[in-house]
Amino acid sequence: MEAATSRTGLVYDVRMEEHKMELVSWHPEQPDRIRLPWEALEKGGYTKRCHVIQSGNLVLLADANS
């Protein structure tokens, strides 16, 4: 019997950084809330070890499982 292999997937799209509340500076939805964790994942090498899923592909995967 072959051992099953699996990979952790990371979903990221730079368009997520466009979601911000310019009129309310204290609002938690700021580009850094998405960008900074992603940069930390890159720095730690996780984006090379995990399967990076483009957000457009995520819709296709969801449709395939319907």
Side-chain angles (χ1 to χ4, degrees):
M1 175 184 279
E2 288 185 38
T5 60
S6 63
R7 294 181 66 187
T8 299
L10 300 172
V11 180
Y12 186 75
D13 189 324
V14 294
R15 294 177 294 177
M16 292 187 291
E17 295 177 19
E18 296 174 10
H19 181 72
K20 56 188 166 187
M21 299 293 291
E22 293 179 358
L23 299 177
V24 185
S25 62
W26 55 264
H27 197 278
E29 294 302 333
Q30 300 293 328
D32 283 347
R33 189 171 180 206
I34 296 293
R35 185 176 49 250
L36 295 177
W38 185 258
E39 288 174 359
L41 289 170
E42 287 179 319
K43 185 175 181 179
Y46 293 99
T47 57
K48 289 186 170 55
R49 294 187 299 199
C50 297
H51 180 70
V52 177
I53 303 166
Q54 299 300 317
S55 63
N57 294 341
L58 187 62
V59 174
L60 295 176
L61 291 172
D63 289 343
N65 291 325
S66 296

